[in-house]
Amino acid sequence: MIRSFISLLIFPLLFIGLKNYFIYEITIGDARFLDLNIDIINYFDHISKLLILSILILFLSILSSNYLIKSQVALLNIYFPLINFTWFFIRLIAIIIAGIFLFIIFLLFNYLIPFFSPKGLYFISIITLVGGGLGAIQIILSIVNKFTKVSSMKVHGFTITEQDQPELFKLIKSVSKNINSIFPDNVILTSERDFFVSSSNLRLYNHKYDKKIKGNSLCIPLLVFKVLTKDELTGIIGHELAHFSGKDTQYSIKYSKIAGSLKKIFKEFKRLLKATLYYEGLEYGLFVIYRFFLLMILFPIIFLHDNLIKKNILNSKNRELRADKIGSSVCEKKKSFISGLCKFCIYSNIWGSAEFEIFNKRKSVKTKKTLTREFTKLLDDYYANFNPEKDLNNIMIFEMLHPSDTHPSIHARAENLNIDVQKFKKSDLITLDLSAMKIINNYDYIDKELTAI
């Protein structure tokens, strides 16, 4: 952050320092290439002073915001807009500074630096410096779209309707009514690991179509119906729908867009740094200038991004604990919510192996396996070797994956609900109760459709 602050000030301060010399020492006829009106120097002087003031205000705003802004509401209404404004403003500042840099180079070679031998080296120096400045402007402009454009998250699955799955829709409607949440625009059965809601556009694909869907979506992995009871499923659906009522999905949209955009910028920056390994001579000189300007604009963004991640971790855990209380409130037994999370942990651990067997191995080997068939085989093996003391400890430290949020451990979530996990028995976790699976119509057909590539 300090390096970026100093680098942003170098050329405006350098120009102000050289201004008096240019004004009092430059006379008509001194120009080596082009006569210059002194008023132009004064014009750039005003720009430099305004830049210095703007940079000071910007950096004070960035530093103060990281100490004062903590809540999700403040992040949504202040911090996210600040990041967007900071990115736009620093990019603009960097382009103006690049213009000042080019003007300084012009003044130096036009008035102060004499011809030196060989003349070829003299002109190569000019070309390198000017080309570097122009190239820096071009690079800064080229990464604009990497911040403003974020691709939709891909989800493998099928949308379902109330006509297709009346019992599941009845359950979701009942839960949404009980917790005063909206009913999702899209209900999707997936072959994915995650159970989540989203208000952003999704790219839904399968062996029949690949399309973008809009609105609020509830994504449910088909395989969870094999491990959860109806009461456990109700609690987890309640937890997910609670994110709509808490405006968590609106927060996640903005967070995902900003975090995803910043990752793209960092990836581009890494690519440019790696390219230096192959630069020599004039090209290396150009890249040194490119790198200077990239570091100038990226360090403040990196600072904001790192602090955004830290703030999101804290707030996302609070969001999850709030949603847990709401989700558990619609369960017949509060304990069912935590046992459902434990079973979801088991499902998540097995899912990766099942997916590998189906989608990776079958690329070279023809098979009639389905996701459920392979998953059930692996699940039976897991249950047969289940060790309550060892496996339950591993389950308790499990943190559920999610596209944008960080979840607390299951142990922390149980404590939040005042549930004593020490009272859990082996039968609470490995006894198959197919009450959730009975909700789904044509399960085997959907299973085959999701398995198809």
Side-chain angles (χ1 to χ4, degrees), residues 144-342:
V144 171
N145 289 336
K146 290 182 173 61
F147 189 80
T148 55
K149 292 184 179 180
V150 180
S151 55
S152 301
M153 184 174 70
K154 293 174 63 177
V155 177
H156 181 258
F158 289 89
T159 53
I160 56 174
T161 65
E162 188 169 5
Q163 289 71 31
D164 298 330
Q165 303 294 337
E167 289 299 316
L168 180 57
F169 270 71
K170 180 180 177 181
L171 174 61
I172 297 171
K173 284 183 177 180
S174 174
V175 172
S176 63
K177 182 179 179 181
N178 287 338
I179 66 174
N180 195 28
S181 174
I182 63 172
F183 187 85
D185 302 304
N186 312 294
V187 178
I188 304 170
L189 292 179
T190 78
S191 63
E192 308 283 352
R193 181 195 299 263
D194 301 331
F195 197 138
F196 65 95
V197 291
S198 173
S199 293
S200 59
N201 295 339
L202 299 176
R203 180 184 162 194
L204 183 65
Y205 72 100
N206 49 60
H207 70 99
K208 292 182 177 179
Y209 57 78
D210 185 335
K211 63 182 181 181
K212 182 179 289 187
I213 59 173
K214 300 179 180 180
N216 299 309
S217 301
L218 170 63
C219 297
I220 307 175
L222 180 69
L223 293 176
V224 299
F225 292 94
K226 287 286 294 182
V227 296
L228 299 179
T229 67
K230 183 178 179 180
D231 198 34
E232 291 165 346
L233 176 66
T234 300
I236 294 180
I237 288 176
H239 167 98
E240 295 302 335
L241 294 182
H243 287 306
F244 287 132
S245 62
K247 294 186 177 181
D248 297 340
T249 52
Q250 289 94 323
Y251 170 89
S252 295
I253 288 174
K254 290 191 176 182
Y255 171 79
S256 298
K257 180 178 180 180
I258 291 175
S261 298
L262 291 173
K263 285 180 182 179
K264 286 188 176 183
I265 292 175
F266 299 152
K267 185 177 181 180
E268 178 69 5
F269 181 57
K270 184 178 180 180
R271 183 188 70 79
L272 291 169
L273 281 178
K274 188 176 180 180
T276 57
L277 299 174
Y278 309 101
Y279 284 169
E280 296 179 357
L282 177 60
E283 285 186 331
Y284 183 79
L286 291 171
F287 182 82
V288 168
I289 299 173
Y290 299 165
R291 181 171 56 184
F292 177 84
F293 281 96
L294 285 172
L295 291 173
M296 179 189 295
I297 64 174
L298 282 172
F299 275 120
I301 300 298
I302 291 173
F303 179 81
L304 280 170
H305 177 262
D306 289 347
N307 281 277
L308 174 64
I309 297 297
K310 294 175 184 177
K311 293 176 188 297
N312 183 62
I313 290 173
L314 176 62
N315 280 282
S316 64
K317 289 184 176 181
N318 292 336
R319 288 195 300 274
E320 296 306 320
L321 294 177
R322 168 192 165 275
D324 283 352
K325 289 185 176 180
I326 296 173
S328 64
S329 70
V330 295
C331 293
E332 293 181 5
K333 300 177 182 179
K334 187 183 292 187
K335 180 182 177 181
S336 293
F337 181 75
I338 296 300
S339 64
L341 293 181
C342 292

Side-chain angles (χ1 to χ4, degrees), residues 95-126:
I95 292 173
I96 295 173
I97 290 175
I100 293 175
F101 167 77
L102 290 172
F103 190 63
I104 290 174
I105 298 305
F106 170 77
L107 290 176
L108 291 175
F109 282 92
N110 197 43
Y111 292 102
L112 299 180
I113 299 177
F115 278 114
F116 54 78
S117 297
K119 287 187 177 181
L121 182 60
Y122 179 88
F123 287 106
I124 287 175
S125 301
I126 298 175

